Amino acid sequence: MKETNSLTVETHCFHCGDDLPEPPYPADDKQFCCLGCQGVYQILSSHNLSSYYLYNDVPGVSQQKKAPHFNYLDEPGIAAELVDYTDARITVISLFIPVIHCSSCIWLLENLHKINPAIAQSRVDFLKKQVTITFKNQQISLRQVVEMLSMIGYEPLISLQDMIKKQRSDHSERNLLTKIAVAGFCFGNVMLLSFPDYFGLNSFEQNFKNFFGWINLAFAIPVLLYSARDYFISAWTNLKNGVLNLDFPLALGIAVMFIRSAYEIITQTGAGFVDTLCSLVFFLLIGKWMQKRTYHYLSFERDFRSYFPVAVTQLKDGQEKPIPLNELKTGDRILIRGNEIIPADAILLKGEAELDFSFVTGESLPLAKVLGEIVYAGGRQLRGAIELEVVKPVSQSYLTKLWNNEAFSGQKDPIKTFSDTASRYFSIVLVAIALAAGLYWINTDVNKAIAAFTAVLIIACPCALALSSPFTLAAVLSIFDQNKFYLKNTAVIEELARIDTIVFDKTGTITNPQATGFDFSGTLDQHQKQLVSDLARNSGHPLSRELVKWLAVNPYFPVEHYMEKVGRGISGRLDGHDVKLGSAAYLGLKTQDKGSVVHILIEGHYSGYFRSSQRWRDGFKQLALKLGQKADLHLLSGDQDHDRKTLTPFFPRMQQLHFQQSPQQKLDYILRLQETGAKVMMLGDGLNDAGALKQSNLGIAVTDDINNFSPGCDAILDGAAFKKIPQFIQQAKDAVKVIHMSFAISLLYNVVGLFFAVQGLLSPLMAAILMPVSTITIILFTSLTARFYARKNKLL
């Protein structure tokens, strides 16, 4: 808002918050940026859903993009693959809606029945950005449901991969939560029954001592056999393979605790360590849950099917019919509309093809095709509708071969964590101390020898060590999440700390696809700028659209005798003047264009030219200087080398700038770096980077919309957080320091416990105090220290 003579003037769209155009689109004394936002407001208002705007400021999403086609959802075969359940009356479907972001979204989506009574029920899963809708299929179709959602600004994201591979099941997570619940229930009850023993039994309670012991043992059985079973399975599997992981001493400690507790309770010689056993398993499972926690709505293992649409429009006998992509055959004639993706290699039969292949090849300039020329899969049509004839099915297209060749050919070593390394030595030392303690006492007192042997295994059980990594890394994962950096799992943090070589893609990675500028050479007065803007406004070419934005003048003159030569230039007559915009060849100029250049002729006189200059992401210069001090920087681009001079200052050595690189060349370059011992982090954004991202020690997909398709990777970085990469790396290094410090603290507790254990003096009360205290200390220390470093690194 701005103040003008004490009057308040709106400058932002009431629905989405975008800047208002001149003139804006009004409705009910509200101002909107486009007809789409105005339409959504009118729909909500007419159905008494205006409360949507009360819960949050500007809760909506801009509606300026072109409405999608959902007619393929009328095909029974496609719909059947997408729905969760259907019968003669109702259908249930779960839809992924990326724009869900606030309480207003939840409120509106759970009140869809007010817009259409045929919606029986709708429930939102906010974390998964998913809405489950139950609708009466006799009154409304699936297509109408999806169109309704799109109409109010909540367009679902539906891809081919939704049909072939349903969203991964969360069965394993539910199973883990059930095990935590069982262990927590048993732990609470065992502690309750053990309190009298801790504080001394009076004569009345002495009568129930054995009874309490048996009940505790009964509680320990489900904890041992159900909640802790994965530790035994993992330890045994790794032992068979000759590997000592952290699960081995944990499983050994749990088993020894149960056996000794059972012996003491059955023989009535003691209370056992059931409380310690249950608390240990409970906290370990919480640590495992935190370590496994990830982002339900993001996919780090996407393939080419996520990039393709669900269906394509087939032209047969003059009729348009949507068919599933897997039914597309060689010889089929298909219709591709503006902004749609070409799903198979095909020949152009009709229309003007201007294609954006930047995601597939890395080339930033649009590619024009002529009739009869082969158009490869993966390109996005920028102009109007075109007709093509399929020459290869989807499974044999260039894009599919590219993916299958690059993304799966690399042999990447698994990430090694500190816990895995430490556990090998810890297990050997632990068993050695336990055996030494037992052998020391065996000649004098067999019972004391057994007590010392088992006590060492109980008290030195690496509970604190097992928790230090999960809680530290989970805290860092949460901090990264707040800063729009999403990791596949917690192990990626430790790998990030080891990186010493960073490789960048150019187009879409270090360049900002949403910010293109122009440098002008020549002379244009305001009237001539108006002529140029009004002529360029008639073209759908990306350079024309960007030029109109850059000139920033409102439309004024109509265009007569408009003509456009795809990929070459445009011409027309405005206000009595002949104006031509385009390449030097189109205007008949004797000069060679370098990069994206638009020349201007007005009434046959040369007025100058606009040169499109790609804008680097915010903070790229400072980022490159910071990273270059501690890491080796490289550039691999599939684009032409017209930005070489501009990029040279950002990279230490000119020979580390590589242009016109194929996907295979990128992958081979990463391999050569790794052969020299380098720990490589690759940042890319397109399918042409898929192999390199997969092969690198750490692959990061950079995207300006985390819900858009990105290739398989270890992490997804929102473009808005690109400048924070040095801070993320430093936070990862600090996280490893916290793990080392917490490991030292856990060893200190073990030393104290071992002092009593080797003498056979460890009591259940001491174990019950020492183990929870060490666990809580580690949890608090790791969580607080990780956040301290985050503030130091300006991530909080």
Side-chain angles (χ1 to χ4, degrees), residues 579-610:
V579 183
K580 295 182 77 173
L581 306 175
S583 65
Y586 177 68
L587 271 60
L589 304 175
K590 294 180 180 179
T591 182
Q592 188 71 29
D593 290 340
K594 289 188 176 180
S596 303
V597 179
V598 180
H599 296 275
I600 306 163
L601 277 183
I602 300 177
E603 290 293 342
H605 298 289
Y606 185 67
S607 301
Y609 65 86
F610 293 95

Side-chain angles (χ1 to χ4, degrees), residues 204-241:
F204 174 76
E205 291 164 339
Q206 283 286 352
N207 299 325
F208 295 94
K209 179 180 179 179
N210 294 334
F211 176 68
F212 287 164
W214 282 103
I215 293 178
N216 281 347
L217 188 60
F219 279 125
I221 292 173
V223 174
L224 176 77
L225 299 180
Y226 177 65
S227 296
R229 68 190 300 268
D230 289 342
Y231 294 101
F232 292 100
I233 293 170
S234 174
W236 176 246
T237 303
N238 282 282
L239 271 178
K240 287 194 294 184
N241 294 324

Side-chain angles (χ1 to χ4, degrees), residues 110 120 181 330 351 427 499 505 507 530 582 595 632 677 693:
E110 293 196 346
T330 301
S427 301
I499 294 301
D505 170 50
T507 306
Q530 185 72 59
D632 200 16
L693 288 170

Side-chain angles (χ1 to χ4, degrees), residues 280-354:
L280 170 65
V281 174
F282 177 64
F283 284 116
L284 285 175
L285 291 175
I286 289 176
K288 180 182 282 190
W289 175 76
M290 295 205 54
Q291 197 166 18
K292 283 190 173 183
R293 191 184 60 178
T294 186
Y295 309 97
H296 296 288
Y297 57 94
L298 294 180
S299 175
F300 297 90
E301 300 293 347
R302 291 163 168 163
D303 62 21
F304 65 93
R305 292 172 302 197
S306 297
Y307 186 55
F308 281 155
V310 169
V312 66
T313 303
Q314 181 190 49
L315 297 173
K316 193 171 184 179
D317 300 326
Q319 300 293 317
E320 296 182 10
K321 181 185 177 184
I323 62 169
L325 216 56
N326 59 353
E327 294 182 12
L328 196 61
K329 304 185 298 296
T330 301
D332 283 351
R333 188 162 179 153
I334 58 175
L335 176 70
I336 301 295
R337 300 178 179 87
N339 210 40
E340 289 184 350
I341 295 165
I342 296 169
D345 297 348
I347 294 175
L348 179 62
L349 299 179
K350 185 178 179 182
E352 296 179 349
E354 187 172 3

Side-chain angles (χ1 to χ4, degrees), residues 588-641:
L589 304 175
K590 294 180 180 179
T591 182
Q592 188 71 29
D593 290 340
K594 289 188 176 180
S596 303
V597 179
V598 180
H599 296 275
I600 306 163
L601 277 183
I602 300 177
E603 290 293 342
H605 298 289
Y606 185 67
S607 301
Y609 65 86
F610 293 95
R611 183 184 298 277
S612 173
S613 57
Q614 286 192 328
R615 300 289 180 89
W616 311 120
R617 288 193 182 274
D618 183 30
F620 171 64
K621 183 178 180 180
Q622 294 80 0
L623 176 145
L625 292 174
K626 283 183 183 178
L627 293 179
Q629 295 172 3
K630 298 181 180 180
D632 200 16
L633 304 186
H634 301 253
L635 179 81
L636 295 178
S637 174
D639 205 351
Q640 303 295 320
D641 66 348

Side-chain angles (χ1 to χ4, degrees), residues 46-200:
S46 64
H47 290 88
N48 296 319
L49 292 172
S50 297
S51 298
Y52 172 70
Y53 297 100
L54 299 178
Y55 300 111
N56 296 272
D57 293 332
V58 291
V61 178
S62 176
Q63 300 298 301
Q64 294 191 40
K65 65 179 181 177
K66 192 175 179 181
H69 296 272
F70 293 115
N71 55 341
Y72 63 85
L73 294 175
D74 285 334
E75 289 297 310
I78 296 174
E81 294 288 341
L82 294 172
V83 301
D84 300 329
Y85 170 82
T86 188
D87 59 26
R89 293 188 309 104
I90 64 165
T91 298
V92 181
I93 186 169
S94 297
L95 295 168
F96 174 52
I97 302 180
V99 299
I100 294 176
H101 67 285
C102 67
S103 55
S104 291
C105 301
I106 298 173
W107 181 84
L108 177 59
L109 290 171
E110 293 196 346
N111 282 277
L112 293 176
H113 63 276
K114 293 184 179 179
I115 298 177
N116 193 319
I119 304 293
Q121 186 184 59
S122 52
R123 288 289 177 265
V124 174
D125 187 327
F126 184 75
L127 291 177
K128 294 183 180 180
K129 294 182 180 285
Q130 183 174 285
V131 59
T132 301
I133 299 174
T134 304
F135 61 93
K136 301 170 185 175
N137 50 37
Q138 299 297 318
Q139 300 176 32
I140 188 172
S141 67
L142 174 59
R143 173 183 173 180
Q144 290 170 326
V145 170
V146 173
E147 286 178 340
M148 178 185 69
L149 289 169
S150 181
M151 184 174 59
I152 61 172
Y154 290 88
E155 180 189 332
L157 187 65
I158 304 172
S159 71
L160 180 63
Q161 198 166 24
D162 292 322
M163 297 179 62
I164 297 176
K165 185 177 72 175
K166 293 287 187 183
Q167 187 178 27
R168 70 181 184 278
S169 170
D170 57 356
H171 173 73
S172 60
E173 184 177 355
R174 288 200 306 270
N175 194 27
L176 178 59
L177 289 173
T178 305
K179 288 177 180 178
I180 293 174
V182 170
F185 173 78
C186 295
F187 171 48
N189 282 281
V190 167
M191 288 295 292
L192 185 66
L193 294 171
S194 299
F195 270 120
D197 201 31
Y198 296 157
F199 299 111

